[in-house]
Amino acid sequence: MATNDDRRRRPRPQQGPGGPRAPRQKRPLPAGEQFFTPGATGLRKSVETRSAAPMAYLFTQVPRWLAPAVLVVLLLTGFAVAAWPGGLAVLPVLAFVAWLAYLSWPSLGIGGRLLRVVMLVFMVVLAADRFGVFQTFSR
């Protein structure tokens, strides 16, 4: 008689639509979910194509917590350091947020677009402040 432990140790044959040894078919994407913008041309198509490999690497080969953790540390450094190193810390976060905003722009409503523009403007002002742009106006 097989126990629960014995059943867990035995490998099960893969079940596919054609029987026990048939390869599994990939699930299709849900309706409306596409990786690339349909009908994109020019700059958008180029950015989406060139972004595919780094994005796939970032989300499959690197631990999931690493990218957000690094971005948070860089942003907090930008808040805490009031000189040009704080501005340098904000620049990669600004670039990442701008990249994501550009890629998601076609699928957003007016609220999402406005939120992304406000976030980008805030980060540009933060970086400019850390680089001392506004100190020249206060004198």
Side-chain angles (χ1 to χ4, degrees):
M1 180 169 188
T3 64
N4 283 341
D5 292 332
D6 292 336
R7 287 185 213 141
R8 288 184 197 143
R9 290 184 192 147
R10 283 189 227 152
R12 292 183 178 176
Q14 286 187 338
Q15 291 290 329
R21 297 273 181 192
R24 290 185 176 189
Q25 293 180 352
K26 293 183 180 180
R27 291 188 317 177
L29 290 174
E33 296 288 327
Q34 296 181 1
F35 187 72
F36 296 108
T37 305
T41 60
L43 180 63
R44 172 159 297 282
K45 184 175 183 177
S46 174
V47 169
E48 288 179 352
T49 304
R50 291 177 189 229
S51 297
M55 192 175 357
Y57 179 78
L58 181 66
F59 295 123
T60 59
Q61 301 300 316
V62 178
R64 289 183 180 195
W65 57 268
L66 187 63
V70 168
L71 292 173
V72 166
V73 167
L74 287 172
L75 189 59
L76 290 177
T77 302
F79 284 134
V81 179
W84 63 269
L88 285 178
V90 172
L91 290 180
V93 181
L94 175 64
F96 186 77
V97 170
W99 173 65
L100 285 179
Y102 182 77
L103 290 177
S104 65
W105 194 264
S107 64
L108 297 175
I110 189 71
R113 290 180 178 184
L114 183 63
L115 182 65
R116 279 155 179 83
V117 168
V118 168
M119 178 61 115
L120 289 172
V121 167
F122 170 74
M123 293 181 71
V124 167
V125 169
L126 176 64
D129 179 56
R130 296 308 184 233
F131 283 119
V133 171
F134 300 117
Q135 290 178 359
T136 59
F137 296 120
S138 64
R139 291 183 183 183

